[in-house]
């Protein structure tokens, strides 16, 4: 695939690694390409990072036709750079595109775009363990008219942000509040797709939780408001009676790549992993009876994030003495070990550049 490259004439300096935070700084360039029905994708280009111009009637501004992905480029100790299961993100992006009537990407071309871009921006892949270059591919509908229908024009872009840990707490246990008012998505809706609207609709609950001192909310299903779905923008897992339980993918849950990887690692470690419905009542009973040993969220940004406290209504419960549990720690060590190239990748997940 031909990618035209226009380099910036005003390169920025890489921020100090301890100041990175998540998603605040951006690299010198961005990738763009456009789509038109009948013409396909065209004009693949890397240009200096900067503002983009949109027609005021552009579909994304009115009807929210937008999808995105999130993956990281990691620096190994030998200085090389690698991605983690990038094809999984590309396939999920196409599943999201299909749900939102946006055009599909050619999988091999999408991988080539990621590789070309990361090679160009290599100096922005930070070096300390736990930091990475967060890659954010996204696509939006761009028809310049107000009719409601599947778009005929779209734009695909890739930007990148050198990042540290997602939560200020890092790997320390977070406090989570069970959300009983808002729901994130519903079955038949867009939960399994990574579309911007899901996140716009979730921030109100997140803000309410933050005001009460919680890091995020635990989402319940939108039909019965009974079954546990996700935690904030992460999948969630529990260790109950020695076995691992994680909500099954019903259509309203995002099929996380970290979730999938955790399941594979856990099975290799000999744990029984149950992907099933888990009601909040069952969870609270296990918690009160001391059978809930560990709880954690998992996602690309935070990798694995232990849950130390869980609130439901006026009640607050402590999990695992408020400390990171053994399984959570093991998962964190193995996944981050593979991602940063410190642990042998027996799963063949790493994609070296
Ligand atoms: N759930 C939601 C809603 C998310 O936004 C994410 C993040 O991408 C995840 C789960 C975790 O998915 P992954 O492990 O692929 O990053
Ligand atoms: C994740 O990577 O786990 C996320 O949820 C990313 C978030 C910024 C949307």
């Amino acid at each position: 695939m031909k990618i035209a490259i226009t380099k910036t004439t005003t390169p920025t300096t890489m921020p100090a690694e301890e100041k990175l935070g998540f998603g605040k700084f951006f690299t010198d360039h961005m990738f763009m390409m456009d789509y038109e029905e009948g013409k396909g994708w065209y004009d693949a280009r890397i240009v200096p990072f900067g503002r983009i111009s949109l027609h005021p009637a552009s579909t994304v501004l009115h009807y929210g036709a937008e999808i995105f992905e999130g993956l990281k480029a990691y620096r190994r100790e030998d200085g090389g750079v690698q991605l983690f299961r990038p094809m999984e993100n590309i396939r999920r992006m196409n599943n999201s595109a299909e749900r939102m009537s946006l055009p599909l990407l050619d999988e091999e071309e999408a991988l080539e775009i990621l590789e070309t871009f990361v090679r160009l921006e290599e100096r922005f892949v930070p070096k300390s363990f736990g930091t990475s270059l967060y890659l954010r591919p996204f696509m939006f509908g761009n028809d310049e008219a107000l009719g409601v229908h599947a778009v005929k024009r779209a734009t695909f872009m890739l930007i990148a942000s050198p990042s540290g840990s997602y939560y200020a707490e890092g790997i320390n246990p977070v406090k989570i509040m069970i959300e009983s008012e808002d729901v994130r998505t519903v079955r038949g809706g867009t939960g399994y797709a990574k579309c911007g609207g899901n996140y716009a609709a979730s921030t109100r609950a997140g803000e309410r939780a933050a005001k009460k001192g919680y890091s995020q909310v635990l989402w319940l299903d939108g039909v019965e408001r009974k079954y546990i779905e996700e935690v904030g923008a992460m999948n969630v897992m529990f260790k109950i009676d020695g076995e691992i339980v994680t909500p099954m993918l019903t259509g309203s849950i995002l099929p996380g790549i970290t979730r999938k990887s955790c399941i594979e690692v856990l099975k290799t470690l000999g744990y029984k992993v149950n992907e099933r419905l888990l009601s909040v009542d069952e969870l609270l009973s296990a918690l009160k009876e001391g059978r809930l040993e560990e709880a954690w969220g998992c996602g690309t940004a935070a990798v694995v994030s232990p849950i130390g406290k869980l609130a439901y209504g006026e009640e607050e419960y402590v999990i695992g003495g408020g400390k990171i549990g053994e399984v959570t720690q093991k998962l964190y060590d193995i996944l981050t070990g593979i991602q940063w190239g410190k642990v042998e990748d027996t799963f063949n997940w790493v994609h070296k550049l």
Side-chain angles (χ1 to χ4, degrees):
M1 141 186 237
K2 195 184 157 298
I3 302 176
I5 300 179
T6 309
K7 287 205 182 162
T8 182
T9 52
T10 53
T12 55
T13 43
M14 170 80 175
E17 297 198 359
E18 63 282 6
K19 297 227 173 85
L20 288 174
F22 178 81
K24 293 191 293 188
F25 301 100
F26 295 93
T27 64
D28 279 343
H29 302 94
M30 58 190 189
F31 174 89
M32 297 182 81
M33 67 179 174
D34 300 305
Y35 172 92
E36 255 180 57
E37 196 180 61
K39 188 171 172 181
W41 289 106
Y42 65 96
D43 203 9
R45 59 202 186 272
I46 291 174
V47 294
F49 187 90
R51 295 201 157 71
I52 56 170
S53 161
L54 289 178
H55 189 282
S58 184
T59 324
V60 64
L61 300 178
H62 300 268
Y63 308 129
E66 194 268 355
I67 57 171
F68 67 97
E69 269 304 324
L71 68 162
K72 289 169 166 177
Y74 306 85
R75 176 83 62 188
R76 294 192 305 272
E77 268 168 1
D78 66 6
V81 170
Q82 59 193 28
L83 304 176
F84 183 73
R85 311 187 82 174
M87 216 27 127
E88 294 284 335
N89 292 89
I90 292 168
R91 292 197 187 113
R92 187 171 65 189
M93 186 146 202
N94 272 342
N95 289 339
S96 302
E98 198 276 329
R99 178 64 184 85
M100 303 303 283
S101 297
L102 284 164
L104 301 194
L105 298 168
D106 178 281
E107 290 178 3
E108 291 303 324
E109 282 187 1
L111 187 61
E112 198 182 326
I113 291 166
L114 288 172
E115 290 173 337
T116 307
F117 188 76
V118 175
R119 284 201 184 102
L120 181 75
E121 300 292 54
E122 217 229 89
R123 73 182 181 94
F124 289 98
V125 182
K127 297 190 173 58
S128 14
F129 180 66
T131 65
S132 58
L133 181 63
Y134 182 78
L135 305 172
R136 172 52 63 87
F138 60 108
M139 188 196 295
F140 52 89
N142 205 5
D143 281 9
E144 298 181 347
L146 295 175
V148 180
H149 47 67
V151 295
K152 294 181 169 54
R153 288 161 49 108
T155 298
F156 171 82
M157 296 184 67
L158 169 62
I159 56 175
S161 170
S163 293
S165 67
Y166 184 68
Y167 282 124
E169 290 95 328
I171 183 72
N172 293 321
V174 293
K175 287 170 67 177
I176 299 293
M177 191 183 101
I178 298 176
E179 172 62 36
S180 38
E181 216 171 303
D182 290 357
V183 296
R184 198 184 79 92
T185 62
V186 293
R187 262 161 266 171
T190 55
Y192 71 89
K194 213 163 157 62
C195 59
N198 289 349
Y199 298 79
S202 76
T203 49
R204 180 171 80 169
E207 286 300 301
R208 279 195 303 243
K211 272 202 189 111
K212 292 185 177 166
Y214 295 92
S215 298
Q216 261 307 341
V217 298
L218 188 70
W219 296 107
L220 301 183
D221 79 279
V223 181
E224 298 179 66
R225 309 212 177 186
K226 181 173 163 191
Y227 297 106
I228 287 158
E229 298 225 311
E230 301 202 50
V231 58
M234 283 191 277
N235 295 113
V236 66
M237 297 188 170
F238 304 92
K239 184 169 175 237
I240 303 174
D241 292 329
E243 294 184 2
I244 311 303
V245 182
T246 191
M248 61 195 269
L249 301 176
T250 50
S252 47
I253 292 175
L254 191 83
I257 295 152
T258 318
R259 175 187 182 278
K260 186 173 176 177
S261 307
C262 283
I263 293 172
E264 289 176 55
V265 168
L266 287 164
K267 286 185 175 166
T268 314
L269 293 174
Y271 288 101
K272 187 161 191 298
V273 184
N274 306 287
E275 295 181 61
R276 62 168 173 88
L277 294 177
L278 173 66
S279 72
V280 71
D281 289 345
E282 183 188 343
L283 183 78
L284 292 178
S285 300
L287 193 48
K288 287 175 193 162
E289 292 158 18
R291 295 182 292 107
L292 173 64
E293 299 158 71
E294 297 184 39
W296 65 91
C298 56
T300 298
V303 193
V304 167
S305 171
I307 301 172
K309 274 188 189 156
L310 198 59
Y312 192 42
E314 297 303 307
E315 295 293 322
E316 197 179 74
Y317 306 89
V318 176
I319 303 172
K323 297 197 184 70
I324 183 167
E326 188 192 332
V327 177
T328 316
Q329 184 72 55
K330 243 189 241 174
L331 275 177
Y332 180 83
D333 291 343
I334 294 174
L335 286 177
T336 56
I338 293 173
Q339 288 165 339
W340 274 271
K342 290 167 181 283
V343 167
E344 193 198 344
D345 172 24
T346 51
F347 299 94
N348 214 6
W349 286 338
V350 152
H351 183 86
K352 291 187 181 175
L353 288 189

